Amino acid sequence: MSLTRTAVRVDVEDDEIATLPVGNKGQILIKNLDDSVTVYLGGSTVSAANGFPLEAGEIYTEVSNAYSGFASLYAISEDGTVELSIMVVNG
């Protein structure tokens, strides 16, 4: 089992924030550290219109039994630059 923890900043451009490895079960947790700005999660074309909203202060978590390939996760903020705290657990 491995654990990776990082902080990233996202802005109004889509930014890759995490990559999950092939064939491992694992968990990803993402916390929006901002107190007022929503971030949207999704694929490489994420936008406010098609992304999963992560409101200010909220935590997103996903658990998978087996990722089918390298799954990249992207984020975009609705305004300005927002810091996210990300933890990925593999294994």
Side-chain angles (χ1 to χ4, degrees):
M1 178 166 57
S2 67
L3 170 69
T4 304
R5 186 166 181 213
T6 188
V8 297
R9 293 177 189 256
V10 297
D11 54 28
V12 295
E13 301 292 325
D14 57 339
D15 296 303
E16 184 177 7
I17 60 169
T19 302
L20 304 169
V22 172
N24 287 345
K25 68 180 200 176
Q27 182 175 15
I28 184 168
L29 294 100
I30 303 167
K31 181 171 184 178
N32 181 346
L33 299 177
D34 201 84
D35 60 359
S36 63
V37 178
T38 299
V39 169
Y40 297 90
L41 306 174
S44 61
T45 60
V46 67
S47 69
N50 66 16
F52 179 84
L54 183 62
E55 302 289 336
E58 283 188 337
I59 297 174
Y60 168 82
T61 184
E62 179 179 332
V63 178
S64 177
N65 288 329
Y67 294 106
S68 59
F70 278 92
S72 294
L73 184 62
Y74 292 77
I76 188 170
S77 75
E78 68 179 0
D79 185 40
T81 301
V82 175
E83 190 167 358
L84 303 176
S85 180
I86 301 171
M87 185 168 57
V88 178
V89 180
N90 296 307

